[in-house]
Amino acid sequence: MKSRDEIFKEGRKVVKKIIDQAAETARAETDNVPEPGLTGDFTFPVKATLNKGLEGAITGSTGIGYVNGEKGWLLYRGYNIFDLAANCDFEEVIYLLLYGDLPDVHELEAFKKKLIGYRSIPEVVIDVLKKIPTPHTHPMAALRTAISVLGTLDATADDCSVDAEREVAIRLIAQLPGVVAAIARIREHKRLVPQDISCTHACNFLYTMTGESPIDINNISEAIMNVALILHADHGMNNSTFTGIVINSSLTDMYSSIVGAIGSLKGPLHGGANERVLYMLEEIGNINKVEEWFKDARATKRKLMGFGHRVYKAYDPRGRVLKPLAKKLAEDHPDFMKLYDIAEKLDDLVCKKLGKEKRIFPNVDFYSGLVYRSLGIKSAMFTPIFAVSRIVGWTARALEYLQTNRIMRPRAVYTGDLKKKLIPIEKRKK
Ligand code: CMC
């Protein structure tokens, strides 16, 4: 009989082949697109043209990651996302983003041990989660609360030295899967599953969420969760990462920064889109209705969830990976295949129509929900899964900024009166 690790290795091989194929297509289609200007040496002050929503604003420089929106490429510390997703453990990518380069065998082993050592969740956090009303409380609200509680338990939370904050970051990265899994199971009135300390971050997460050994679910499920975590780990100065940095720049504690970042990610224009994509596909319901639905959505100026991006003006590389993985997972499930077919048709229509007109393409959230649903996860948990991964980017970038910290403090143009006369309250009339 094959061991669990042998089965996981086979799954990783299958998944690698799919990613390598997606990467080859992406490179063939986009390699010749010229590099836009946001790379190279940088010093303040900088001249930039700003637009609403801080479009065009530059927060500073970073060595952590780069989104090339013209090409549709994503790099973490110089490594292409396709290479990382095809070849690495999520733990290697955490190390890469936090420390600057990929670990060697010994460094990785020590780092994995450290993460496992930090996995357990204090009982008080579980007690609080059990008191949160379900099902109307969104799991992201519960997650935000859990991190806040974790912060109250850490007597060293206010030590804002880089070393102390990095330690908090690693602990939170290790704990988040267990917290999210607990939220998922409490919502469904299921017993909590003890963490499997012999298992990778991705495997333990799936196991504690679903209660099934990842081998029983599907031989490639561990590999696919590993890839999904890698793909979502960092993404430029996105809304939640920026939120985390802004909060951390006041020299408050890392817990507060992560609570804020979770609040930001929850929104439907950001991480909350993945959940809504599934509702949208379910609403369409049938591949024969896609065209009519799309026409109606355009006529009523409806937002298409999982499409469009502030930076990408090309197909999102993470979507290129998740699309074939969603298809692979759906192959054994007619129900999921029905949803996948609807998604693929909508993807084609949008690319043909809006890709040309407005450079709108599917983003990471369009196919991630299909992947998670096929792994046995409920829609409401999709955005918390995003957080389990993105916490790496949040903390890596907050730590990077902390090293040369200056409080974030922009201004707004005042458009009100300049010399209003104060009228005593008894004389005010409206
Ligand atoms: N459906 C229909 N039209 C769209 C969409 C969409 N999903 N996205 C952009 N547009 C149109 C928009 O109406 C506008 O048209 P016009 O110029 O005629 O007014 C134009 O494209 C520019 O859009 P914008 O809203 O100014 O773009 P933005 O950079 O401010 O917003 C976005 C980016 C991601 C918030 C937006 O594309 C959107 O709301 N998408 C749907 C939600 C979604 O999928 N969010 C996940 C983003 S990726 C993962 C993440 O970061 O979490």
Side-chain angles (χ1 to χ4, degrees), residues 87-101:
N87 298 294
C88 291
D89 274 356
F90 181 54
E91 287 89 329
E92 287 175 81
V93 173
I94 303 173
Y95 189 100
L96 170 71
L97 289 169
L98 286 181
Y99 292 108
D101 212 344

Side-chain angles (χ1 to χ4, degrees), residues 318-424:
R318 302 162 300 172
R320 284 185 187 269
V321 172
L322 289 168
K323 181 178 177 178
L325 294 180
K327 188 173 187 183
K328 176 81 190 156
L329 280 169
E331 272 166 6
D332 302 330
H333 303 275
D335 282 356
F336 302 148
M337 193 45 104
K338 197 174 151 193
L339 284 177
Y340 176 84
D341 287 339
I342 294 170
E344 195 180 57
K345 176 103 189 250
L346 185 60
D347 174 345
D348 283 351
L349 281 176
V350 175
C351 288
K352 274 193 195 118
K353 178 89 180 129
L354 299 182
K356 273 208 185 114
E357 275 173 23
K358 290 174 181 263
R359 303 180 78 192
I360 292 176
F361 298 93
N363 57 52
V364 69
D365 290 327
F366 190 62
Y367 286 104
S368 63
L370 282 170
V371 166
Y372 302 143
R373 175 63 71 81
S374 305
L375 292 176
I377 297 164
K378 294 266 158 54
S379 308
M381 298 312 299
F382 296 172
T383 315
I385 300 178
F386 197 152
V388 164
S389 166
R390 184 56 59 83
I391 189 175
V392 182
W394 292 335
T395 52
R397 286 186 185 250
L399 287 165
E400 182 188 53
Y401 189 77
L402 190 62
Q403 290 174 37
T404 54
N405 191 64
R406 189 175 187 213
I407 190 164
M408 287 282 189
R409 209 294 185 197
R411 296 193 67 180
V413 174
Y414 175 66
T415 58
D417 288 329
L418 291 169
K419 287 189 177 174
K420 249 187 176 172
K421 194 168 179 302
L422 196 139
I423 301 166

Side-chain angles (χ1 to χ4, degrees), residues 67-351:
V67 183
N68 183 329
E70 291 298 314
K71 268 179 149 69
W73 281 23
L74 172 60
L75 308 181
Y76 295 169
R77 301 235 184 236
Y79 298 100
N80 196 298
I81 193 68
F82 294 120
D83 296 335
L84 293 169
N87 298 294
C88 291
D89 274 356
F90 181 54
E91 287 89 329
E92 287 175 81
V93 173
I94 303 173
Y95 189 100
L96 170 71
L97 289 169
L98 286 181
Y99 292 108
D101 212 344
L102 288 168
D104 64 23
V105 176
H106 306 293
E107 287 166 334
L108 181 61
E109 199 183 323
F111 188 59
K112 279 184 171 175
K113 260 195 197 147
K114 184 169 181 149
L115 285 170
I116 289 171
Y118 276 154
R119 267 183 197 168
S120 73
I121 318 293
E123 209 42 51
V124 58
V125 175
I126 303 295
D127 289 346
V128 170
L129 288 176
K130 284 182 176 165
K131 290 198 168 76
I132 288 175
T134 54
H136 77 262
T137 306
H138 195 278
M140 285 296 275
L143 180 60
R144 197 182 56 204
T145 304
I147 303 304
S148 215
V149 175
L150 280 170
T152 65
L153 302 174
D154 183 351
T156 67
D158 285 324
D159 180 347
C160 59
S161 65
V162 173
D163 285 345
E165 290 221 345
R166 187 182 292 111
E167 216 49 29
V168 172
I170 296 170
R171 205 160 50 233
L172 284 178
I173 290 167
Q175 287 174 321
L176 225 62
V179 172
V180 168
I183 293 169
R185 296 191 70 82
I186 290 168
R187 276 172 72 79
E188 292 184 41
H189 309 286
K190 290 182 175 159
R191 74 171 176 86
L192 301 194
V193 177
Q195 316 244 7
D196 182 345
I197 57 164
S198 67
C199 205
T200 62
H201 207 77
C203 162
N204 179 58
F205 182 36
L206 262 180
Y207 172 57
T208 49
M209 283 274 274
T210 62
E212 290 175 61
S213 160
I215 299 174
D216 300 335
I217 304 168
N218 185 319
N219 288 350
I220 56 170
S221 54
E222 186 267 353
I224 290 186
M225 180 52 85
N226 182 63
V227 168
L229 293 176
I230 291 174
L231 295 178
H232 288 82
D234 183 65
H235 205 252
M237 203 45 64
N238 60 83
N239 191 288
S240 55
T241 300
F242 180 53
T243 301
I245 291 176
V246 169
I247 296 174
N248 220 53
S249 79
S250 77
L251 298 186
T252 183
D253 60 291
M254 186 61 93
Y255 297 92
S256 299
S257 310
I258 300 305
V259 166
I262 290 170
S264 152
L265 189 72
K266 175 170 168 282
L269 298 187
H270 191 11
N274 56 11
E275 175 184 347
R276 285 162 179 87
V277 169
L278 249 280
Y279 303 143
M280 184 179 77
L281 298 177
E282 283 165 345
E283 181 197 317
I284 299 172
N286 190 307
I287 191 165
N288 299 322
K289 292 193 179 152
V290 179
E291 247 166 280
E292 190 192 325
W293 185 93
F294 178 59
K295 239 190 211 165
D296 184 63
R298 293 304 297 150
T300 55
K301 294 194 172 4
R302 183 171 166 172
K303 265 246 154 105
L304 307 168
M305 285 294 142
F307 289 97
H309 201 274
R310 176 66 62 80
V311 183
Y312 285 124
K313 300 302 164 201
Y315 208 104
D316 187 323
R318 302 162 300 172
R320 284 185 187 269
V321 172
L322 289 168
K323 181 178 177 178
L325 294 180
K327 188 173 187 183
K328 176 81 190 156
L329 280 169
E331 272 166 6
D332 302 330
H333 303 275
D335 282 356
F336 302 148
M337 193 45 104
K338 197 174 151 193
L339 284 177
Y340 176 84
D341 287 339
I342 294 170
E344 195 180 57
K345 176 103 189 250
L346 185 60
D347 174 345
D348 283 351
L349 281 176
V350 175
C351 288

